[in-house]
Amino acid sequence: MNATRTADVQRSEPAEVRTGGCLCGRIRFSTEGPATFPHTCACRHCQKLGGTPVMWWVGFKTITWIGEGGEPTWYETFPGEAKRGFCPTCGSRLAAIDSDIPEIGINVTALDDTCGPDLVPVHVSFRENAVHWLPPGPETEHSTAG
């Protein structure tokens, strides 16, 4: 996820279950627990991995891989520190595991429903690397969801 979150953006809502998956449907997952630290990232790794100027991430304490494809294929972007999960069939970018962050990052666009107020980005990682033609993202790490 390429971000360090701060304590003031922790969510305390009751556990909520969400579902999501890849484009071809082979890899499916469910999340449990509140969404933590929704943010966008404009680092070069996210740009290259996503093929887009920014990726949109959110953390969840528990992810269960429920589809016939099982767990995604993992690519170590930083050996021993960070890896990114993708579907080996369709290439969808799904998840991130960073050694210094307890939650598993989910690419928000992999969720079946992306409109929850707790998914609104509260931070932009690597803002200095963002493309100039996109409007700037939020400069606060405080949630607009409450």
Side-chain angles (χ1 to χ4, degrees):
M1 286 191 316
N2 286 329
T4 302
R5 59 185 169 75
T6 56
D8 61 340
V9 294
Q10 290 289 327
R11 310 252 188 234
S12 59
E13 292 90 24
E16 180 179 338
V17 175
R18 287 187 162 99
T19 58
C22 66
L23 181 62
C24 73
R26 288 185 45 80
I27 297 180
R28 297 283 303 157
F29 62 85
S30 65
T31 70
E32 189 175 321
T36 60
F37 195 59
H39 68 283
T40 61
C41 184
C43 78
R44 293 296 296 154
H45 281 157
C46 281
Q47 289 175 341
K48 288 194 177 277
L49 286 167
T52 183
V54 297
M55 288 184 79
W56 181 18
W57 295 101
V58 67
F60 292 98
K61 184 176 181 177
T62 304
I63 304 291
T64 304
W65 304 105
I66 56 176
E68 69 179 64
E71 200 170 314
T73 297
W74 296 98
Y75 174 74
E76 282 193 280
T77 51
F78 298 100
E81 294 180 33
K83 58 186 178 177
R84 306 295 180 249
F86 65 94
C87 175
T89 303
C90 68
S92 295
R93 285 17 180 201
L94 301 168
I97 296 175
D98 292 292
S99 63
D100 60 340
I101 298 175
E103 294 85 8
I104 296 173
I106 289 294
N107 188 335
V108 176
T109 59
L111 292 169
D112 294 332
D113 181 359
T114 62
C115 61
D118 58 343
L119 300 177
V120 174
V122 297
H123 180 73
V124 177
S125 298
F126 297 89
R127 177 185 301 278
E128 68 281 359
N129 201 47
V131 295
H132 66 86
W133 45 265
L134 279 177
E139 293 193 30
T140 177
E141 291 188 9
H142 298 283
S143 171
T144 58

